[in-house]
Amino acid sequence: MVSYKDLGLVNTREMFAKAIEGGYAIPAFNFNNMEQMQAIISACVEASSPVILQVSSGARKYANQTLLRYMAQGAVEYAKELGKNIPIVLHLDHGNSFELCKSCIDMGFSSVMIDGSSLPYEENVALTKKVVEYAHQFDVTVEGELGVLAGVEDEVAAEHSHYTDPNDVVDFVSKTGVDSLAISIGTSHGANKFKPEQCTRNAEGILVPPPLRFDILKEIEKRIPGFPIVLHGSSSVPQEYVKIINSHGGALKDAVGIPEEQLREAAKSAVCKINIDSDGRLAMTAAVRKVFVDSPAEFDPRKYLGPAREELKKLYKHKCENVLGSAGKA
Ligand code: G3H
Ligand code: 13P
Ligand code: ZN
């Protein structure tokens, strides 16, 4: 059993309280490897932003749980070496069982998500409550979810989305004891968040998605004032990356995300954690593809992972400074 406190990590409690009070959101960036971790930490140190390092169960399988724990501990030391002891959370993204959440807590995670959103309501309540009871013994914070996001990724799949019902939130939060609640108001996972027929097209022919359901968010906030809300599926799918990818041998069709202005708006409310994974994937892929096409003789991984890391860092800093408003809040 390793306590996150011994690794220099923090849980989300104080971070979220300050974010709600200050009208900004904490970035939750997913990582699977060293370059992504370096980019996240160096960007957040330069922006002086608190950060949530987020690990999915797929990432845990990919990178190895022991290595991930030491990487998170390394991230804390790396931030200090770069000159700023920013608050860092190690969070399990989309935990799907009590056993997985327990194992992460026992391995040094400071926060876990138990995603029972696809279960019948009472089963979601029971599972979430069980995780909360275990986690709180170790001062680990827990995110639950109500409502279903559409989208398909390695470990997260849902055919049909449905919005969070504001009538459920008081009951869910009080019965489970969760520390934060992920809701569904029109975001979705991946780089193809909406079907073209759900969108309109602007003058340049770029897909414009339907707006987020701020009316539902307001209704939820009314029922649980000041309670930390989380938005998943919040990548904006920058079209400049899509263009680079497609002009350098890629084949991304109809990729569309959530406009950054809408995320900025959400961050001003009780939304205090915004999850971004796909934008990082696009930034990395664009940078790597560019090197492969422009310099085909290159075969030193540092020559393509280095530029990918630089592009990621730029993206993450931009998110903290211009979208989430977390810059300067560490
Ligand atoms: O919401 C899911 C994250 O983007 C993680 O995706 O399961 O493919 O690692 P993954
Ligand atoms: P995106 O696919 O929009 O980056 O969402 C990531 C996410 O919600 C991780 O939990
Ligand atoms: Zn998610």
Side-chain angles (χ1 to χ4, degrees):
M1 173 100 204
V2 188
S3 167
Y4 69 87
K5 294 176 186 173
D6 296 331
L7 307 182
L9 300 162
V10 297
N11 68 23
T12 58
R13 202 167 288 124
E14 193 186 332
M15 222 182 233
F16 285 172
K18 286 184 179 164
I20 293 173
E21 177 70 30
Y24 60 92
I26 310 289
F29 297 133
N30 289 69
F31 84 110
N32 308 267
N33 67 21
M34 183 186 75
E35 282 78 7
Q36 291 168 325
M37 186 274 271
Q38 289 172 316
I40 295 169
I41 297 300
S42 57
C44 291
V45 164
E46 279 181 29
S48 192
S49 170
V51 68
I52 297 172
L53 284 173
Q54 197 157 257
V55 174
S56 68
S57 58
R60 200 165 173 262
K61 273 184 228 145
Y62 176 81
N64 178 276
Q65 53 163 338
T66 306
L67 276 177
L68 279 173
R69 187 236 297 174
Y70 284 107
M71 281 172 79
Q73 188 173 12
V76 173
E77 296 307 316
Y78 182 49
K80 285 188 209 158
E81 190 183 307
L82 294 175
K84 182 108 191 163
N85 194 5
I86 55 171
I88 300 173
V89 169
L90 178 62
H91 174 79
L92 169 67
D93 193 22
H94 295 284
N96 58 2
S97 69
F98 171 77
E99 291 70 27
L100 174 61
C101 292
K102 178 181 182 303
S103 164
C104 287
I105 293 164
D106 294 350
M107 286 291 279
F109 280 59
S110 59
S111 174
V112 292
M113 174 190 194
I114 177 68
D115 182 356
S117 61
S118 58
L119 299 172
Y121 180 78
E122 291 304 336
E123 286 176 40
N124 186 6
V125 169
L127 176 62
T128 305
K129 185 168 186 277
K130 188 173 171 191
V131 171
V132 169
E133 278 166 2
Y134 185 76
H136 282 183
Q137 293 175 62
F138 308 100
D139 206 17
V140 168
T141 39
V142 180
E143 175 184 324
E145 177 162 336
L146 268 182
V148 178
L149 272 71
V152 179
E153 284 173 56
D154 287 0
E155 306 285 331
V156 187
E159 275 278 303
H160 303 289
S161 65
H162 62 82
Y163 299 126
T164 305
D165 183 347
N167 293 320
D168 290 338
V169 297
V170 172
D171 187 68
F172 186 81
V173 162
S174 57
K175 278 190 181 151
T176 59
V178 275
D179 301 282
S180 60
L181 182 67
I183 60 165
S184 174
I185 55 163
T187 61
S188 97
H189 289 109
N192 292 77
K193 299 194 183 299
F194 303 96
K195 296 194 181 77
E197 55 270 27
Q198 293 175 282
C199 305
T200 51
R201 284 193 193 267
N202 69 11
E204 292 105 65
I206 307 279
L207 291 174
V208 179
L212 295 182
R213 292 291 302 270
F214 282 98
D215 56 324
I216 299 177
L217 172 61
K218 280 210 183 77
E219 215 29 68
I220 292 170
E221 284 192 77
K222 237 192 261 168
R223 313 289 174 100
I224 43 173
F227 192 81
I229 304 290
V230 177
L231 280 192
H232 282 249
S234 296
S235 277
S236 296
V237 187
Q239 293 301 306
E240 58 272 28
Y241 291 144
V242 175
K243 272 193 206 131
I244 295 172
I245 291 170
N246 286 341
S247 60
H248 291 76
L252 291 180
K253 213 174 165 293
D254 297 328
V256 64
I258 311 294
E260 290 187 334
E261 317 79 72
Q262 291 183 36
L263 296 169
R264 180 77 279 271
E265 197 49 42
K268 289 181 188 154
S269 71
V271 168
C272 62
K273 173 177 180 271
I274 291 191
N275 287 8
I276 297 171
D277 186 3
S278 299
D279 283 356
R281 297 179 182 197
L282 292 167
M284 247 186 139
T285 302
V288 170
R289 278 197 177 276
K290 207 166 174 322
V291 175
F292 283 173
V293 170
D294 296 349
S295 314
E298 210 52 85
F299 68 100
D300 177 345
R302 292 170 297 188
K303 297 284 166 48
Y304 50 87
L305 293 177
R309 185 173 63 186
E310 266 317 295
E311 198 54 55
L312 270 179
K313 179 178 171 185
K314 219 166 74 190
L315 170 84
Y316 293 140
K317 238 181 125 179
H318 161 70
K319 297 286 180 187
C320 296
E321 288 169 351
N322 307 317
V323 186
L324 279 70
S326 63
K329 309 292 187 185

